[in-house]
Amino acid sequence: MSRRTGGAAGNRAGGGARDQSGADRAELSPRDKWITIYGRKPVLEALNDPALSVAKVVVADNAGGGSLDEILAAARRLGTPVERASSTRVKWLAGNGKQDQGVVADVDAPRMTPLPNFLRQRGRRPTKVFLLDGVTNPGNVGMILRTATGAGFDGVILPRAGTPHVGPLVIKASAGVAFQAPIVNAPTAKGAVDALRAAGYEIYGLSARSQRSLFRTELAPRAVFVLGGETHGISVTTDTDLRIPLHNGVESLNVAVAAAVVAFEVANRR
């Protein structure tokens, strides 16, 4: 492995962020409170899942059919608001013009929050987070969310620039954990690093060229582990680079696999 990378890092469980108070949640913008899903089957499954809270359902004016009747019946049973909108608006809300099937729903994500709120809530407590820097594959994003949540990481920072929307593919790869994952929203990876560094976090990258092994390095109490994109690796400036030792000619690991190695190494030290 010849270049620094997190995507090829060969190179709501556990101790995560607490749910925000009702007042804090009320002040958030919709995109920092809800995960928007689309398609009739996913929306119906969300309505029928007792572990999820659907804030509202939006149905296109021209939508109809038996499956939609099931959705409307489930929403009535749960007291979930249903709004009617033009098909154009539904497509815009879904962010997908081909697969919305005339219905979208906003599902509450109680641990999702914008980065400034996250930093304020964490204060000076020991905190471990991932930052996705150009990770574009929805399957990788979903698996990272599942791993981080299971390992008790405090947050996964998802920059809106360069990271897939948390939609059906991400949710599927996370096996549904995305709704409860400690997602931290930020506009860009660089802006997130600047804010984290200013708040006293150590920024770690993964690099095959580093002489410092992840397993032999004392980690800062407040640490950010940058996971670089599958193609171009890490684009932001890091403070310390670490390597995951590999053998038998293996040069790199998939970014989601690397995230699992880091997450459970950190969990093992707690």
Side-chain angles (χ1 to χ4, degrees), residues 1-11 135 140 143-144 206-208 214-215 226-234 242-265:
M1 194 168 48
S2 59
R3 62 191 176 85
R4 190 162 62 116
T5 173
N11 329 66
V135 178
N140 284 333
M143 287 187 283
I144 292 167
L206 297 176
S207 172
L214 166 69
F215 306 121
V226 182
L227 300 173
E230 297 89 347
T231 303
H232 301 295
I234 292 174
L242 305 172
R243 66 183 175 90
I244 296 174
L246 297 174
H247 306 281
N248 299 316
V250 176
E251 294 185 351
S252 64
L253 298 176
N254 166 272
V255 64
V257 174
V261 173
V262 173
F264 286 100
E265 170 64 14

Side-chain angles (χ1 to χ4, degrees), residues 138-139 141-147 166 168-179 181:
V141 175
M143 287 187 283
I144 292 167
L145 290 175
R146 182 173 180 83
T147 295
V166 182
L169 294 177
V170 172
I171 294 165
K172 181 178 180 180
S174 78
V177 170
F179 295 114

Side-chain angles (χ1 to χ4, degrees), residues 4-27:
R4 190 162 62 116
T5 173
N11 329 66
R12 287 167 194 199
R18 298 174 182 174
D19 290 356
Q20 301 164 87
S21 70
D24 287 342
R25 294 288 293 169
E27 294 174 357

